Each structure stands twice: as structure tokens, then as C-alpha cells.
């Protein structure tokens, strides 16, 4: 069973940065599109970013609200995906989940989820 594990969340001031990590060692994540989703209390889950599979086109996408501030990357040698978050805003506060799409496309058919890591942006 593929188990994704996130880390790197925490409390940060507005304008600060965090780097989220997610991995599943030994599962050859290069076959998967990997994404980051977030959900704030009372709000629907939102896809933040996705990076296509390394055996596919590796296409990267971001939700408009994080463009220019967040960067997704992957390290298939270590079966990991990262989300570098800069210039954080209070509205970025949410539980962040990594996810894997076995179809290797655009994170639209998620089959595996991490348990989530809390990101809180506040003064």
C-alpha cells in the first residue's frame, strides 16, 4: 500500500517561507503525477499544485492564488515531492496534503493521499 508522508508544516509569519516535503520511499514515484492540495476549515479542498509524472510530460500547474510564490519540484531518486512556499499570506493557512495520481497526468484522479500537515500563517 502506497503511504505518503508529509512534513515541513508549521507556524510562520506573513511574508515568510516554508518548504513542505512528501515521500513514499521504494514506490517509484516517477510513475505518478504528484500534487499538493489544501483545505481550510469551512472551505472545500483546493488543488494547489501538480507536477506530472517523470515518464510523462512532467507538466507543472498552480492555482492562480499561489503563482509566483509557490514552487513544486520532485526528486524521483529519493521518491519525494516538495512544495516551496514563499511570501506566505494568512489565506494560505490550511492543512496541506500531498497526493499521487497513478494516471500520471494532472492530479485529477488521485488514488493516494497523505495525512496532511498544518500550515498556519499568522502574526
Amino acid at each position: 500500500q502506497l503511504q505518503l508522508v508529509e512534513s515541513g508544516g508549521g507556524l510562520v509569519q506573513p511574508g515568510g517561507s516554508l518548504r513542505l516535503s512528501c515521500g513514499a520511499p521504494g514506490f517509484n514515484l516517477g510513475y505518478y503525477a504528484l500534487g499538493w492540495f489544501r483545505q481550510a476549515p469551512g472551505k472545500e479542498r483546493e488543488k494547489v499544485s501538480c507536477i506530472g509524472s517523470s515518464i510523462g510530460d512532467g507538466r507543472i500547474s498552480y492555482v492562480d492564488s499561489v503563482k509566483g510564490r509557490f514552487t513544486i519540484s520532485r526528486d524521483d531518486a529519493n521518491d519525494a515531492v516538495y512544495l516551496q512556499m514563499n511570501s506566505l499570506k494568512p489565506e494560505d493557512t490550511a492543512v496541506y496534503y500531498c497526493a499521487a495520481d497513478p494516471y500520471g497526468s494532472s492530479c485529477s484522479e488521485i488514488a493516494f493521499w497523505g495525512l496532511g500537515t498544518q500550515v498556519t500563517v499568522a502574526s
Side-chain angles (χ1 to χ4, degrees), residues 21-82:
S21 300
C22 175
F27 280 87
N28 298 119
L29 294 183
Y31 291 100
Y32 296 83
L34 301 173
W36 291 94
F37 293 71
R38 66 187 180 187
Q39 187 166 25
K43 296 184 178 180
E44 295 183 352
R45 185 181 61 201
E46 175 185 47
K47 183 165 65 177
V48 177
S49 184
C50 181
I51 183 167
S53 69
S54 296
I55 63 171
D57 62 12
R59 184 172 297 177
I60 292 173
S61 64
Y62 300 96
V63 66
D64 286 346
S65 61
V66 309
K67 288 181 178 177
R69 300 189 297 119
F70 290 10
T71 303
I72 191 170
S73 62
R74 63 191 300 152
D75 181 359
D76 291 336
N78 292 294
D79 293 320
V81 61
Y82 306 96

Side-chain angles (χ1 to χ4, degrees), residues 68-120:
R69 300 189 297 119
F70 290 10
T71 303
I72 191 170
S73 62
R74 63 191 300 152
D75 181 359
D76 291 336
N78 292 294
D79 293 320
V81 61
Y82 306 96
L83 186 68
Q84 178 67 45
M85 305 185 294
N86 298 327
S87 301
L88 283 162
K89 303 175 180 180
E91 51 263 47
D92 295 317
T93 296
V95 177
Y96 284 70
Y97 301 89
C98 66
D101 179 350
Y103 295 95
S105 56
S106 58
C107 304
S108 60
E109 300 287 343
I110 300 300
F112 304 99
W113 295 90
L115 295 177
T117 185
Q118 177 71 47
V119 172
T120 302

